């Protein structure tokens, strides 16, 4: 407990919104001692149990609808090689990414052009843009892994290991920034950098993808709140941020089972309506009750299964799993986390004593219950389990 004197009410009162600069934000949710990285896997049970922790105070800006972790300390998060965020091993995720790339190519003319991916991760999105649209790709990320790039497209791809900042001076006909902005505390500064990249190329398109926090507020989805995510957007607050840095939001929609915001913007164009502020404030007002109810319901389920002597595993060694397992006291009874990504297997989830195993371990584990960490993968997971001749009870967040 590094900061026992932290006071949520006082710190919210003096907080400055990192999106619009308003002072005095509304406290929403406070959690202490959560793992500072939920995508970093560690090799021993002891290292997982001793994983560094931080505190979170989510505060809402009633002027723009943006939510930030007021107690976020960027020095605690290390986005290095060990960071395993890739979802490219899932057919369902690749189906989403492929449809998105095809839409960028067909509807937005990103063919035989130059695509910049800010926070490109392992580069799989750029690979699709190169393969399907004959594009050239540039990616920048502190955790690039060139050895994982398909050699067939490697000569059309430039991957830069590093952070996108004032010195980067990169641009493209498409500037994509997917699942990155929610990791950035100073979002207004970062949005300015993206706007600069857009202005350096005539008629460039910016595509931003972040989780939708309105759904998190509505559902009390505590598993979607974790330390690396210091910034939380709704379509409206993302639109307002993009407008504030001089861009025109031309599309703000939900996708991937309404979990993600798909934001499109240009330097000039026909703007879409940017609403939802009252809706965010209303949902935020209910959030404390909603999240307490969600936590109580899942804890009761796990306790019930444990009392019946059932073997429970979670499927998906993701950030959601880390939040789920570290929030629920009854989660100590979970036997293992199953994941199809071989880079995660045989390691431990940060802050837990739960080991990640491949699906091939399931027959030996013989689980009675499989809790699916993301409902979008339910069909894919059910098919894999049935193919193994197993018939556990399936539940999903
Ligand atoms: Zn604000």
């Amino acid at each position: 407990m590094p900061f026992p004197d932290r006071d949520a009410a006082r710190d919210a009162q003096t907080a400055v919104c990192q999106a619009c600069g308003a002072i005095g934000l509304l406290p929403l949710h406070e959690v202490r001692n959560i793992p500072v990285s939920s995508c970093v896997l560690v090799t021993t049970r002891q290292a997982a149990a001793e994983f560094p922790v931080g505190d979170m105070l989510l505060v809402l800006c009633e002027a723009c609808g943006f939510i930030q972790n007021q107690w976020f300390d960027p020095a605690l998060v290390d986005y290095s090689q060990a960071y395993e965020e890739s979802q490219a091993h899932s057919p369902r995720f690749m189906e989403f990414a492929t449809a998105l790339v095809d839409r960028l190519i067909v509807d937005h003319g990103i063919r035989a052009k130059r695509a910049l991916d800010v926070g490109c991760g392992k580069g799989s999105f750029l690979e699709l843009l190169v393969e399907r649209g004959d594009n050239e790709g540039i990616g920048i990320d502190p955790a690039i892994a060139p050895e994982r790039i398909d050699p067939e497209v490697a000569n059309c791809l430039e991957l830069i290991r590093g952070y996108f900042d004032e010195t980067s001076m990169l641009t493209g006909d498409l500037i994509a920034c997917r699942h990155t902005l929610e990791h950035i505390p100073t979002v207004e500064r970062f949005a300015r950098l993206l706007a600069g990249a857009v202005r350096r190329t005539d008629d460039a398109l910016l595509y931003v993808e972040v989780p939708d926090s309105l759904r998190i507020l509505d559902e009390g989805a505590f598993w979607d709140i974790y330390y690396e995510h210091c910034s939380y957007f709704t379509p409206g607050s993302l639109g307002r941020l993009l407008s504030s840095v001089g861009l025109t939001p031309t599309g703000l929609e939900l996708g991937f089972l309404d979990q993600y915001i798909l934001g499109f913007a240009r330097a000039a164009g026909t703007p879409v309506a940017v609403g939802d502020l009252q809706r965010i404030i209303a949902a935020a007002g209910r959030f404390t009750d909603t999240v307490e109810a969600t936590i109580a319901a899942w804890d009761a389920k796990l306790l019930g299964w444990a009392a019946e002597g059932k073997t429970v595993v979670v499927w998906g060694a993701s950030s959601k799993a880390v939040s789920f397992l570290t929030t629920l006291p009854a989660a100590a009874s979970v036997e293992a986390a199953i994941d199809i990504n071989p880079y995660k297997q045989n390691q431990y989830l940060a802050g837990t004593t739960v080991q990640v195993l491949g699906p091939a371990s399931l027959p030996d584990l013989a689980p009675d219950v499989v809790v699916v960490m993301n409902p979008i993968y339910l069909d894919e997971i059910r098919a894999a389990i049935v193919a193994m001749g197993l018939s556990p009870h399936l539940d999903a967040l």
Side-chain angles (χ1 to χ4, degrees), residues 365-379:
L365 284 166
D368 302 294
V369 180
V370 175
V371 184
V372 175
M373 292 290 103
N374 194 331
I376 202 159
Y377 300 130
L378 197 52
D379 289 344

Side-chain angles (χ1 to χ4, degrees), residues 263-283:
F264 300 82
R266 291 183 186 270
T270 309
V272 287
V274 177
D276 82 17
L277 189 54
Q278 291 315 312
R279 169 106 170 69
I280 301 166
I281 292 169

Side-chain angles (χ1 to χ4, degrees), residues 5 81 91 115 157 214 216 223 259 291 316 339:
D5 60 335
Q81 276 294 296
L157 269 185
L214 200 46
I216 298 173
W223 47 83
Q259 293 182 32
V291 79
D339 204 287

Side-chain angles (χ1 to χ4, degrees), residues 4-337:
D5 60 335
R6 274 178 163 161
D7 183 286
R10 181 199 62 204
D11 291 351
Q13 213 166 38
T14 54
V16 178
C17 174
Q18 292 293 332
C20 79
I23 299 168
L25 309 181
L26 192 72
L28 282 188
H29 185 55
E30 178 185 341
V31 263
R32 305 256 182 172
N33 300 318
I34 53 174
V36 294
S37 287
S38 48
C39 284
V40 173
L41 292 144
V42 289
T43 49
T44 67
R45 184 181 285 250
Q46 189 180 355
E50 291 170 355
F51 202 83
V53 292
D55 297 339
M56 173 178 272
L57 171 64
L58 291 187
V59 289
L60 166 75
C61 174
E62 292 171 280
C64 77
F66 177 66
I67 295 169
Q68 66 196 38
N69 173 9
Q70 189 56 29
W71 290 339
F72 181 71
D73 178 358
L76 294 178
V77 184
D78 174 21
Y79 291 113
S80 65
Q81 276 294 296
Y83 198 81
E84 189 54 52
E85 83 303 331
S86 175
Q87 298 187 79
H89 297 274
S90 161
R92 181 67 188 84
F93 186 78
M94 288 311 286
E95 186 187 308
F96 164 73
T98 305
L100 173 65
V101 163
D102 287 351
R103 189 177 159 194
L104 289 167
I105 293 167
V106 175
D107 296 353
H108 297 277
I110 308 299
R111 181 185 294 281
K113 297 263 173 78
R114 200 172 152 94
L116 167 65
D117 192 358
V118 175
C120 63
K122 306 288 182 277
S124 60
F125 191 67
L126 281 174
E127 275 187 340
L128 287 174
L129 280 162
V130 170
E131 282 166 357
R132 302 178 76 85
D134 198 20
N135 291 293
E136 278 177 38
I138 310 172
I140 180 163
D141 197 291
I144 59 161
E147 70 280 5
R148 284 210 223 165
I149 294 290
D150 180 350
E152 300 259 310
V153 299
N155 58 345
C156 297
L157 269 185
E158 182 189 353
L159 294 183
I160 302 166
R161 188 188 308 278
Y163 288 93
F164 183 66
D165 62 20
E166 283 79 359
T167 65
S168 301
M169 299 306 284
L170 298 168
T171 187
D173 300 290
L174 168 71
I175 292 124
C177 184
R178 303 176 59 243
H179 302 280
T180 296
L181 208 48
E182 65 271 31
H183 297 258
I184 308 286
T186 50
V187 290
E188 199 265 355
R189 170 184 160 265
F190 204 80
R192 275 193 194 287
L193 291 173
L194 291 172
V198 169
R199 287 194 201 93
R200 281 194 279 276
T201 298
D202 279 349
D203 203 28
L205 172 70
L206 173 68
Y207 173 71
V208 179
E209 191 177 301
V210 287
D212 175 36
S213 58
L214 200 46
R215 183 191 57 82
I216 298 173
L217 294 177
D218 281 340
E219 295 179 7
F222 65 90
W223 47 83
D224 280 327
I225 297 169
Y226 29 88
Y227 197 78
E228 300 104 306
H229 284 190
C230 50
S231 296
Y232 294 80
F233 292 92
T234 64
S237 64
L238 178 64
R240 277 182 282 278
L241 176 67
L242 296 175
S243 301
S244 78
V245 295
L247 295 176
T248 303
T250 54
L252 291 166
E253 349 167 331
L254 297 178
F256 201 64
L257 211 67
D258 289 352
Q259 293 182 32
Y260 299 161
I261 303 169
L262 320 183
F264 300 82
R266 291 183 186 270
T270 309
V272 287
V274 177
D276 82 17
L277 189 54
Q278 291 315 312
R279 169 106 170 69
I280 301 166
I281 292 169
R286 294 186 297 268
F287 183 66
T288 306
D289 291 341
T290 317
V291 79
E292 274 177 16
T294 316
I295 290 171
W298 273 106
D299 222 33
K301 271 193 197 185
L302 290 171
L303 284 172
W305 290 326
E308 292 167 17
K310 290 185 168 166
T311 300
V312 179
V313 301
V314 300
W315 190 305
S318 57
S319 304
K320 289 175 198 281
V322 170
S323 274
F324 184 81
L325 296 167
T326 57
T327 302
L328 300 173
S333 62
V334 170
E335 285 286 327

